[in-house]
Every structure is written in C-alpha cells, then in structure tokens.
Amino acid sequence: MERIAIFPGSFDPITTGHTDIVERAAPLFDKIIVSIGQNIAKNYMYSQEQRKKWIEDTFKNTPNVEVDFYQGLTIEYCKEKNASYILRGLRTSADFEFEKAIAHTNREISEIEIETVFLLTSSEKSFISSSIVRDVIKNGGNIKNLVPDPVFQSLKNS
C-alpha cells in the first residue's frame, strides 16, 4: 500500500518552516500532498492560486510532493485521497498540545486508520510562522530567510 501523507495548512504564505518539514518528510512517504485548506472564517492575504503556485514552484524538484486544495474535515480529505497519514510540524510545546488534541479527535471520529506524524521543526526555523511573515511583509521588512525563494522572488518583483 502506498504511504500517502497529507500536510494540511493555509500556507499564507508558505514559509521555510513548512519547507523544512516537507523536505525532511519526503523520504518517509511515497507521496506528500501539501493541502491548502479553505477556512471561510479566515481572511487570507494571498489567493489560493498564488499559494498553490508558490508551493508547486518550491517543490518542483521533489517528485513525490503534490499540491491540492480542500475544504472540510482533514480526515474526510484523507479518505478521498487514500492517505493514511497526516503530517504536522511542531515548533513549540503549545503546538504539541494543540496538535495532540486534533490528532486524538481525528482518530476518534475517523472511519479509517489515520496516523498523525509529528516532525519537530529545525531549531533555526522554529520561530517562523505564516502570521509573523505576513506581519513582516505588511511592514516592509526583509523576508528573504523566512520564505522559500519562489515566494521571495515573486513578492520582490511585485
């Protein structure tokens, strides 16, 4: 059976923290689907199409990484994609507590076997979050080391 992992998030924008997780997880799975979730309660800074393009450009040389959109429960999306794993990155102990609760809930309500796999973000990337990056962008700061090059180049040229 193919080992398929879903890496869900808003990726608004994708950061080097996200890429750290995907690059380190790529050898562990046959396929990783970076899944851009749509939450109608959120106001996004960048369109879904822009975020998808950035992610595709970032992982263009990683053949087992795909990009997709989804709405609703992640476990329902996992079922649709025949994925048995949810990939999550952990930066802090607060992330762990939050993600642990979601993982337990997913196991409780899922009709299929879903394992959540946690990877610790590399220490040099552990401070990076999309919300911090958005704040730096809004205030004209330098994001070169906070986002992958396709994002940096795109925003630099806009």
Side-chain angles (χ1 to χ4, degrees), residues 7 9-15 18-19 22 32-37 47-62 65-69 148 150-151:
F7 185 44
S10 60
F11 307 104
D12 188 35
I14 188 168
T15 70
H18 295 126
T19 59
V22 173
I32 296 174
I33 306 172
V34 179
S35 304
I36 303 168
S47 71
Q48 277 190 324
E49 293 73 25
Q50 179 63 73
R51 290 179 274 154
K52 182 178 187 204
K53 179 171 179 7
W54 284 335
I55 298 166
E56 288 172 339
D57 290 349
T58 297
F59 296 111
K60 68 182 177 203
N61 295 320
T62 312
V65 174
E66 297 177 6
V67 186
D68 195 16
F69 304 113
V151 178

Side-chain angles (χ1 to χ4, degrees), residues 2 9 18 20-21 25 27 29 36 40 48 50-51 64 68 82 97 103 123 131-133 146 150 155-157:
E2 195 174 29
H18 295 126
D20 173 62
I21 296 298
F29 299 99
I36 303 168
I40 57 172
Q48 277 190 324
Q50 179 63 73
R51 290 179 274 154
N64 65 329
D68 195 16
N82 295 314
E97 291 301 326
S123 58
S131 57
I132 288 173
V133 171
L146 305 178
L155 293 176
K156 183 177 88 169
N157 295 329

Side-chain angles (χ1 to χ4, degrees), residues 30-97:
D30 298 312
K31 183 190 307 182
I32 296 174
I33 306 172
V34 179
S35 304
I36 303 168
Q38 181 61 35
N39 181 339
I40 57 172
K42 275 189 169 183
N43 291 323
Y44 296 103
M45 191 166 179
Y46 301 103
S47 71
Q48 277 190 324
E49 293 73 25
Q50 179 63 73
R51 290 179 274 154
K52 182 178 187 204
K53 179 171 179 7
W54 284 335
I55 298 166
E56 288 172 339
D57 290 349
T58 297
F59 296 111
K60 68 182 177 203
N61 295 320
T62 312
N64 65 329
V65 174
E66 297 177 6
V67 186
D68 195 16
F69 304 113
Y70 80 104
Q71 287 185 332
L73 294 174
T74 304
I75 57 169
E76 292 301 320
Y77 179 71
C78 287
K79 191 184 325 181
E80 177 187 319
K81 294 295 183 177
N82 295 314
S84 299
Y85 304 94
I86 297 173
L87 176 62
R88 300 300 294 161
L90 300 175
R91 294 171 297 155
T92 66
S93 58
D95 282 353
F96 173 73
E97 291 301 326

